[in-house]
């Protein structure tokens, strides 16, 4: 398998953009990525992309050009972007093409995601009990985790406050005003223990990446970041994941742990080698749990990490340097690719006011989606 590099990265600002469809935002991101890579749309040999609410990604060929490029639509819940990247990486690594696109976009209605039970093979009672409402499920999950590992509400608030500070420095973020911890803690309770500032919001946006073989990157003279590894895993037995109707009495594995271990093994490095990480933060609790599930700390150590600023931009492991989902919102198709876009910018030294100091060399991204799918990508400079 050949080495694969990201040579172009583009993004449409996240948030709300009246008068521009989700697909339009995806097209915008693709054109940015093509310009960044210095290649034409007609040069691409494969494309992979997806959205949840904005139709088939392959329809964007109407805007970009009818070149006959094989374009595969991808849908994998919140892991759609990560799955698109994995498919694009495989197409280049296998030698099928020298240039490929991964793209994601969405334009969601306001309000929490509230999926159909039948779509996920669940009985009607699961929805009637309110568990298909994602805010309720995630609140119950972090409530259980907090009790088992002595995590406080103040730590939840620290995650959110950090996100909004980082979002203030990020041009593509939706929420660009800092919010203090007291305001976060005293704001409207949505589902105990999570207040309104501890949740991300469905949003709009697009992100795109151009992938190339090493030979093609050198031929173009492009500024590439190597994909050291990508791993996508589904839930194992006895795991407790979104849209799961029960908790097993036997402790089980987690899809994030499986994906993380596989990605580290394939890259030949460990958590201690990572310079910055983008972790799924659908809510404050998700970032806390995912810090441990990805191997960066032990369960319960998040209290000390957050209190001592270890995950700040100047800390020992900056987490969600662009504000994550909390500051950017979550357009499902684009969210996982936004994380990788951020790591590309950081490893190139192009992140501006949010740039991690010390010339970071290894960037880690993790995305998690229903019904228990995790994707991890490790980039190396």
């Amino acid at each position: 398998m050949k080495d694969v590099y990201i040579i172009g990265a583009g993004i449409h600002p996240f948030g709300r953009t009246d008068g521009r469809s989700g697909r339009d935002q995806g097209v915008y991101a693709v054109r940015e990525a093509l310009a960044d890579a210095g290649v034409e749309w007609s040069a691409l040999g494969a494309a992979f992309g997806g959205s949840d609410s904005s139709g088939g990604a392959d329809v964007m060929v109407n805007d970009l050009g009818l070149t006959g490029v094989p374009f595969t639509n991808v849908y994998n819940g919140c892991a759609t972007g990560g799955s698109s990247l994995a498919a694009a990486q495989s197409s280049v690594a296998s030698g099928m093409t020298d240039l490929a696109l991964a793209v994601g976009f969405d334009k969601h209605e306001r309000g929490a995601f509230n999926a159909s039970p039948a779509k996920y093979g669940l009985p009607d009672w699961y929805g009637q009990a309110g568990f298909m409402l994602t805010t309720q499920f995630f609140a119950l999950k972090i409530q259980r985790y907090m009790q088992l590992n002595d995590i406080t509400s103040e730590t939840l608030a620290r995650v959110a406050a950090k996100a909004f500070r980082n979002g203030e420095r990020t041009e593509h973020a939706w929420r660009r005003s800092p919010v203090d911890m007291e305001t976060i803690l005293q704001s409207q309770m949505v589902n105990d223990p999570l207040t309104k500032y501890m949740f991300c919001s469905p949003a709009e946006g697009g992100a795109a990446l151009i992938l190339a073989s090493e030979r093609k990157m050198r031929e173009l003279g492009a500024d590439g970041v190597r994909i050291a590894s990508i791993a996508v895993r589904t839930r194992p037995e006895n795991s407790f994941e979104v849209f799961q109707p029960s908790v097993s009495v036997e402790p089980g594995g987690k899809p994030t742990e499986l994906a993380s271990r596989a990605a580290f093994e394939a890259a030949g490095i460990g958590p201690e080698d990572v310079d910055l990480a983008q972790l799924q933060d659908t809510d404050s609790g998700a970032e806390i749990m995912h810090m441990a599930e990805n191997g960066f700390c032990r369960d319960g150590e998040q209290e000390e990490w957050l209190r001592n600023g270890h995950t700040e931009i100047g800390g020992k492991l900056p987490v969600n340097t662009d504000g994550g989902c909390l500051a950017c919102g979550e357009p499902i198709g684009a969210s996982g690719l936004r994380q990788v876009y951020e790591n590309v910018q950081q490893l190139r030294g192009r992140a501006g006011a949010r740039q991690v100091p010390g010339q970071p060399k290894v960037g880690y991204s993790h995305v998690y989606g229903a019904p228990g799918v995790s994707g991890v990508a490790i980039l190396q400079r």
Side-chain angles (χ1 to χ4, degrees), residues 246-267:
S246 62
V247 181
S248 174
V249 294
E250 296 291 334
K254 301 176 177 67
T256 292
E257 291 177 343
L258 297 179
S260 180
R261 284 199 296 267
F264 278 127
E265 182 178 350

PDB file of all heavy atoms in Angstrom, residues 246-267:
ATOM      1  N   SER A 246     -30.197  -0.997  26.092  1.00  0.00           N
ATOM      2  CA  SER A 246     -29.924  -1.474  27.449  1.00  0.00           C
ATOM      3  C   SER A 246     -28.433  -1.381  27.748  1.00  0.00           C
ATOM      4  O   SER A 246     -27.612  -1.223  26.846  1.00  0.00           O
ATOM      5  CB  SER A 246     -30.384  -2.925  27.609  1.00  0.00           C
ATOM      6  OG  SER A 246     -29.678  -3.774  26.719  1.00  0.00           O
ATOM      7  N   VAL A 247     -28.114  -1.497  29.048  1.00  0.00           N
ATOM      8  CA  VAL A 247     -26.721  -1.540  29.491  1.00  0.00           C
ATOM      9  C   VAL A 247     -26.440  -2.938  30.005  1.00  0.00           C
ATOM     10  O   VAL A 247     -27.163  -3.442  30.869  1.00  0.00           O
ATOM     11  CB  VAL A 247     -26.452  -0.517  30.613  1.00  0.00           C
ATOM     12  CG1 VAL A 247     -24.991  -0.568  31.046  1.00  0.00           C
ATOM     13  CG2 VAL A 247     -26.821   0.876  30.169  1.00  0.00           C
ATOM     14  N   SER A 248     -25.396  -3.560  29.498  1.00  0.00           N
ATOM     15  CA  SER A 248     -25.054  -4.908  29.925  1.00  0.00           C
ATOM     16  C   SER A 248     -24.463  -4.900  31.328  1.00  0.00           C
ATOM     17  O   SER A 248     -23.758  -3.960  31.716  1.00  0.00           O
ATOM     18  CB  SER A 248     -24.048  -5.522  28.945  1.00  0.00           C
ATOM     19  OG  SER A 248     -23.589  -6.768  29.413  1.00  0.00           O
ATOM     20  N   VAL A 249     -24.753  -5.957  32.101  1.00  0.00           N
ATOM     21  CA  VAL A 249     -24.134  -6.072  33.428  1.00  0.00           C
ATOM     22  C   VAL A 249     -22.659  -6.442  33.297  1.00  0.00           C
ATOM     23  O   VAL A 249     -21.871  -6.239  34.228  1.00  0.00           O
ATOM     24  CB  VAL A 249     -24.868  -7.127  34.294  1.00  0.00           C
ATOM     25  CG1 VAL A 249     -26.277  -6.667  34.603  1.00  0.00           C
ATOM     26  CG2 VAL A 249     -24.883  -8.497  33.613  1.00  0.00           C
ATOM     27  N   GLU A 250     -22.293  -6.979  32.138  1.00  0.00           N
ATOM     28  CA  GLU A 250     -20.890  -7.304  31.879  1.00  0.00           C
ATOM     29  C   GLU A 250     -20.223  -6.128  31.180  1.00  0.00           C
ATOM     30  O   GLU A 250     -20.730  -5.645  30.171  1.00  0.00           O
ATOM     31  CB  GLU A 250     -20.788  -8.543  30.990  1.00  0.00           C
ATOM     32  CG  GLU A 250     -21.340  -9.808  31.616  1.00  0.00           C
ATOM     33  CD  GLU A 250     -20.501 -10.298  32.770  1.00  0.00           C
ATOM     34  OE1 GLU A 250     -19.276  -9.988  32.789  1.00  0.00           O
ATOM     35  OE2 GLU A 250     -21.051 -10.959  33.657  1.00  0.00           O
ATOM     36  N   PRO A 251     -19.092  -5.637  31.700  1.00  0.00           N
ATOM     37  CA  PRO A 251     -18.410  -4.536  31.007  1.00  0.00           C
ATOM     38  C   PRO A 251     -17.883  -5.010  29.657  1.00  0.00           C
ATOM     39  O   PRO A 251     -17.341  -6.112  29.533  1.00  0.00           O
ATOM     40  CB  PRO A 251     -17.250  -4.187  31.959  1.00  0.00           C
ATOM     41  CG  PRO A 251     -17.033  -5.431  32.763  1.00  0.00           C
ATOM     42  CD  PRO A 251     -18.377  -6.089  32.898  1.00  0.00           C
ATOM     43  N   GLY A 252     -18.110  -4.176  28.649  1.00  0.00           N
ATOM     44  CA  GLY A 252     -17.680  -4.546  27.312  1.00  0.00           C
ATOM     45  C   GLY A 252     -16.702  -3.550  26.729  1.00  0.00           C
ATOM     46  O   GLY A 252     -16.327  -2.562  27.363  1.00  0.00           O
ATOM     47  N   GLY A 253     -16.269  -3.803  25.499  1.00  0.00           N
ATOM     48  CA  GLY A 253     -15.373  -2.883  24.818  1.00  0.00           C
ATOM     49  C   GLY A 253     -16.138  -1.705  24.248  1.00  0.00           C
ATOM     50  O   GLY A 253     -17.358  -1.587  24.386  1.00  0.00           O
ATOM     51  N   LYS A 254     -15.416  -0.822  23.607  1.00  0.00           N
ATOM     52  CA  LYS A 254     -15.999   0.389  23.019  1.00  0.00           C
ATOM     53  C   LYS A 254     -15.451   0.554  21.603  1.00  0.00           C
ATOM     54  O   LYS A 254     -14.265   0.294  21.357  1.00  0.00           O
ATOM     55  CB  LYS A 254     -15.647   1.616  23.863  1.00  0.00           C
ATOM     56  CG  LYS A 254     -16.136   1.543  25.307  1.00  0.00           C
ATOM     57  CD  LYS A 254     -15.657   2.754  26.094  1.00  0.00           C
ATOM     58  CE  LYS A 254     -16.204   2.742  27.529  1.00  0.00           C
ATOM     59  NZ  LYS A 254     -15.643   1.622  28.323  1.00  0.00           N
ATOM     60  N   PRO A 255     -16.277   0.998  20.662  1.00  0.00           N
ATOM     61  CA  PRO A 255     -15.784   1.164  19.288  1.00  0.00           C
ATOM     62  C   PRO A 255     -14.637   2.163  19.195  1.00  0.00           C
ATOM     63  O   PRO A 255     -13.731   1.993  18.378  1.00  0.00           O
ATOM     64  CB  PRO A 255     -17.014   1.632  18.514  1.00  0.00           C
ATOM     65  CG  PRO A 255     -17.947   2.174  19.541  1.00  0.00           C
ATOM     66  CD  PRO A 255     -17.697   1.376  20.775  1.00  0.00           C
ATOM     67  N   THR A 256     -14.676   3.210  20.033  1.00  0.00           N
ATOM     68  CA  THR A 256     -13.587   4.193  20.009  1.00  0.00           C
ATOM     69  C   THR A 256     -12.279   3.562  20.454  1.00  0.00           C
ATOM     70  O   THR A 256     -11.218   3.811  19.858  1.00  0.00           O
ATOM     71  CB  THR A 256     -13.934   5.399  20.888  1.00  0.00           C
ATOM     72  OG1 THR A 256     -15.020   6.113  20.299  1.00  0.00           O
ATOM     73  CG2 THR A 256     -12.743   6.337  21.048  1.00  0.00           C
ATOM     74  N   GLU A 257     -12.331   2.723  21.488  1.00  0.00           N
ATOM     75  CA  GLU A 257     -11.105   2.053  21.929  1.00  0.00           C
ATOM     76  C   GLU A 257     -10.554   1.149  20.832  1.00  0.00           C
ATOM     77  O   GLU A 257      -9.332   1.102  20.610  1.00  0.00           O
ATOM     78  CB  GLU A 257     -11.391   1.246  23.197  1.00  0.00           C
ATOM     79  CG  GLU A 257     -11.671   2.096  24.419  1.00  0.00           C
ATOM     80  CD  GLU A 257     -12.015   1.284  25.643  1.00  0.00           C
ATOM     81  OE1 GLU A 257     -12.360   0.087  25.506  1.00  0.00           O
ATOM     82  OE2 GLU A 257     -11.948   1.849  26.762  1.00  0.00           O
ATOM     83  N   LEU A 258     -11.434   0.443  20.147  1.00  0.00           N
ATOM     84  CA  LEU A 258     -10.990  -0.438  19.066  1.00  0.00           C
ATOM     85  C   LEU A 258     -10.360   0.362  17.926  1.00  0.00           C
ATOM     86  O   LEU A 258      -9.298   0.001  17.411  1.00  0.00           O
ATOM     87  CB  LEU A 258     -12.168  -1.249  18.536  1.00  0.00           C
ATOM     88  CG  LEU A 258     -12.856  -2.211  19.508  1.00  0.00           C
ATOM     89  CD1 LEU A 258     -14.017  -2.920  18.807  1.00  0.00           C
ATOM     90  CD2 LEU A 258     -11.877  -3.231  20.061  1.00  0.00           C
ATOM     91  N   ALA A 259     -11.014   1.439  17.512  1.00  0.00           N
ATOM     92  CA  ALA A 259     -10.491   2.258  16.411  1.00  0.00           C
ATOM     93  C   ALA A 259      -9.184   2.926  16.797  1.00  0.00           C
ATOM     94  O   ALA A 259      -8.237   2.994  15.990  1.00  0.00           O
ATOM     95  CB  ALA A 259     -11.522   3.304  16.006  1.00  0.00           C
ATOM     96  N   SER A 260      -9.114   3.415  18.023  1.00  0.00           N
ATOM     97  CA  SER A 260      -7.901   4.091  18.481  1.00  0.00           C
ATOM     98  C   SER A 260      -6.711   3.143  18.506  1.00  0.00           C
ATOM     99  O   SER A 260      -5.629   3.463  17.998  1.00  0.00           O
ATOM    100  CB  SER A 260      -8.138   4.685  19.876  1.00  0.00           C
ATOM    101  OG  SER A 260      -6.980   5.334  20.348  1.00  0.00           O
ATOM    102  N   ARG A 261      -6.901   1.969  19.089  1.00  0.00           N
ATOM    103  CA  ARG A 261      -5.805   1.002  19.151  1.00  0.00           C
ATOM    104  C   ARG A 261      -5.346   0.601  17.751  1.00  0.00           C
ATOM    105  O   ARG A 261      -4.142   0.492  17.479  1.00  0.00           O
ATOM    106  CB  ARG A 261      -6.229  -0.234  19.947  1.00  0.00           C
ATOM    107  CG  ARG A 261      -6.257  -0.014  21.447  1.00  0.00           C
ATOM    108  CD  ARG A 261      -6.225  -1.335  22.198  1.00  0.00           C
ATOM    109  NE  ARG A 261      -7.407  -2.151  21.951  1.00  0.00           N
ATOM    110  CZ  ARG A 261      -8.494  -2.143  22.702  1.00  0.00           C
ATOM    111  NH1 ARG A 261      -8.556  -1.340  23.764  1.00  0.00           N
ATOM    112  NH2 ARG A 261      -9.519  -2.919  22.430  1.00  0.00           N
ATOM    113  N   ALA A 262      -6.306   0.386  16.854  1.00  0.00           N
ATOM    114  CA  ALA A 262      -5.948  -0.009  15.489  1.00  0.00           C
ATOM    115  C   ALA A 262      -5.172   1.097  14.780  1.00  0.00           C
ATOM    116  O   ALA A 262      -4.199   0.831  14.053  1.00  0.00           O
ATOM    117  CB  ALA A 262      -7.215  -0.365  14.710  1.00  0.00           C
ATOM    118  N   ALA A 263      -5.593   2.354  14.981  1.00  0.00           N
ATOM    119  CA  ALA A 263      -4.914   3.471  14.318  1.00  0.00           C
ATOM    120  C   ALA A 263      -3.503   3.664  14.864  1.00  0.00           C
ATOM    121  O   ALA A 263      -2.558   3.894  14.094  1.00  0.00           O
ATOM    122  CB  ALA A 263      -5.731   4.746  14.501  1.00  0.00           C
ATOM    123  N   PHE A 264      -3.344   3.570  16.180  1.00  0.00           N
ATOM    124  CA  PHE A 264      -2.003   3.709  16.763  1.00  0.00           C
ATOM    125  C   PHE A 264      -1.082   2.585  16.288  1.00  0.00           C
ATOM    126  O   PHE A 264       0.086   2.812  15.962  1.00  0.00           O
ATOM    127  CB  PHE A 264      -2.080   3.722  18.292  1.00  0.00           C
ATOM    128  CG  PHE A 264      -2.440   5.052  18.878  1.00  0.00           C
ATOM    129  CD1 PHE A 264      -3.500   5.168  19.769  1.00  0.00           C
ATOM    130  CD2 PHE A 264      -1.719   6.192  18.560  1.00  0.00           C
ATOM    131  CE1 PHE A 264      -3.832   6.397  20.333  1.00  0.00           C
ATOM    132  CE2 PHE A 264      -2.042   7.428  19.111  1.00  0.00           C
ATOM    133  CZ  PHE A 264      -3.099   7.520  19.996  1.00  0.00           C
ATOM    134  N   GLU A 265      -1.610   1.368  16.245  1.00  0.00           N
ATOM    135  CA  GLU A 265      -0.788   0.233  15.813  1.00  0.00           C
ATOM    136  C   GLU A 265      -0.347   0.402  14.361  1.00  0.00           C
ATOM    137  O   GLU A 265       0.824   0.171  14.019  1.00  0.00           O
ATOM    138  CB  GLU A 265      -1.576  -1.063  15.983  1.00  0.00           C
ATOM    139  CG  GLU A 265      -0.787  -2.305  15.598  1.00  0.00           C
ATOM    140  CD  GLU A 265      -1.560  -3.596  15.812  1.00  0.00           C
ATOM    141  OE1 GLU A 265      -2.640  -3.556  16.443  1.00  0.00           O
ATOM    142  OE2 GLU A 265      -1.087  -4.648  15.340  1.00  0.00           O
ATOM    143  N   ALA A 266      -1.277   0.822  13.510  1.00  0.00           N
ATOM    144  CA  ALA A 266      -0.934   0.992  12.092  1.00  0.00           C
ATOM    145  C   ALA A 266       0.064   2.123  11.879  1.00  0.00           C
ATOM    146  O   ALA A 266       0.919   2.048  10.982  1.00  0.00           O
ATOM    147  CB  ALA A 266      -2.200   1.248  11.281  1.00  0.00           C
ATOM    148  N   ALA A 267      -0.028   3.175  12.714  1.00  0.00           N
ATOM    149  CA  ALA A 267       0.893   4.308  12.584  1.00  0.00           C
ATOM    150  C   ALA A 267       2.236   4.041  13.244  1.00  0.00           C
ATOM    151  O   ALA A 267       3.212   4.762  12.991  1.00  0.00           O
ATOM    152  CB  ALA A 267       0.259   5.562  13.191  1.00  0.00           C
TER     153      ALA A 267
END
